[in-house]
Amino acid sequence: AQKVTQAQTEISVVEKEDVTLDCVYETRDTTYYLFWYKQPPSGELVFLIRRNSFDEQNEISGRYSWNFQKSTSSFNFTITASQVVDSAVYFCALMYSGGGADGLTFGKGTHLIIQP
Amino acid sequence: KAGVTQTPRYLIKTRGQQVTLSCSPISGHRSVSWYQQTPGQGLQFLFEYFSETQRNKGNFPGRFSGRQFSNSRSEMNVSTLELGDSALYLCASSRRTSGGIGDTQYFGPGTRLTVL
């Protein structure tokens, strides 16, 4: 069975602080894909990043960076110099390539609040 | 390029009624997946359609069904509505090229269904 755990239900920081959102996943498959999505109050899930299980390179995109570590089954997301516009619910998700359900398995999400 | 569109955005129904939700994927995307989001259960995969065929299905009762048309547009139907069906229903599209497991899914704004 696949599982994604986002242990932080809510995080509140002051603008300009750095913040890391944790994501731990479980899967028996050797080929799988990890994603991060952002859900602002409007409700639409906005795609942020996709990683496959064979690519452990960390990624940086502007103020966003992702740290993928297969050894600890983690795919953490860091926002540097946070801004109020970063306030949203962030979801980590897993998709595996085995037979059966091919949908995304989501974590429960982390509600990030950036205070001015 | 236009994103995923969903209609209607809001819907109010009463118990026992049925409802049909519509989703138009991004142009060129051939796969449409549906998800249910509730405060208690989070985001859960309902089913995926590709080439007018249901390819995968999550753990939902038979009251939840869908279909896909030749232009890749998809509809989701819920019959005999229950109070617990109140949720945000999200549609996502992906290219789903051959062997395209793990393609990024892009989400629409969702349909918020309230069952009274």
Side-chain angles (χ1 to χ4, degrees):
Chain A
Q2 327 300 313
K3 187 178 177 184
V4 176
T5 301
Q6 294 180 257
Q8 305 148 310
T9 305
E10 184 174 289
I11 300 174
S12 181
V13 299
V14 176
E15 202 173 17
K16 296 198 176 94
E17 285 185 20
D18 299 347
V19 58
T20 296
L21 310 182
D22 297 333
C23 172
V24 174
Y25 62 91
E26 294 176 31
T27 179
R28 289 195 201 124
D29 292 278
T30 56
T31 301
Y32 53 88
Y33 303 84
L34 295 164
F35 302 81
W36 275 94
Y37 286 88
K38 172 182 179 180
Q39 187 174 43
S42 59
E44 182 171 344
L45 282 169
V46 178
F47 165 71
L48 295 177
I49 190 170
R50 169 184 180 270
R51 261 288 173 268
N52 72 52
S53 52
F54 298 109
D55 182 3
E56 280 195 77
Q57 260 192 324
N58 291 332
E59 173 116 0
I60 298 175
S61 176
R63 297 183 297 105
Y64 295 172
S65 62
W66 291 268
N67 181 254
F68 176 29
Q69 291 197 332
K70 284 178 77 169
S71 60
T72 56
S73 297
S74 65
F75 186 41
N76 296 337
F77 172 31
T78 297
I79 301 175
T80 303
S82 60
Q83 299 176 2
V84 172
V85 294
D86 295 326
S87 297
V89 181
Y90 290 84
F91 291 94
C92 180
L94 167 71
M95 183 184 291
Y96 72 108
S97 64
D102 202 21
L104 289 161
T105 298
F106 284 90
K108 292 293 188 186
T110 297
H111 185 197
L112 178 62
I113 301 167
I114 310 297
Q115 299 182 44
Chain B
K1 208 178 208 182
V4 178
T5 58
Q6 292 186 247
T7 57
R9 293 293 311 278
Y10 302 91
L11 208 48
I12 299 175
K13 292 285 188 180
T14 56
R15 275 183 301 175
Q17 287 187 309
Q18 77 163 20
V19 66
T20 299
L21 313 181
S22 181
C23 172
S24 292
I26 292 170
S27 177
H29 284 193
R30 299 169 62 193
S31 167
V32 173
S33 297
W34 289 89
Y35 294 82
Q36 181 196 63
Q37 185 177 24
T38 60
Q41 299 300 316
L43 278 153
Q44 294 183 283
F45 170 69
L46 280 156
F47 31 64
E48 182 208 4
Y49 284 86
F50 174 70
S51 289
E52 303 177 59
T53 302
Q54 187 181 92
R55 298 291 171 154
N56 295 292
K57 184 172 167 57
N59 190 25
F60 278 82
R63 300 185 297 107
F64 292 83
S65 64
R67 59 177 175 166
Q68 186 180 34
F69 303 94
S70 58
N71 61 358
S72 296
R73 191 177 70 83
S74 176
E75 287 182 346
M76 185 192 114
N77 185 74
V78 188
S79 62
T80 319
L81 283 165
E82 300 177 0
L83 294 179
D85 296 333
S86 293
L88 180 66
Y89 289 89
L90 291 160
C91 162
S93 76
S94 64
R95 283 200 186 88
R96 239 300 193 162
T97 50
S98 58
I101 306 292
D103 280 349
T104 297
Q105 295 188 6
Y106 296 90
F107 285 79
T111 294
R112 187 162 295 280
L113 172 65
T114 301
V115 182
L116 302 175

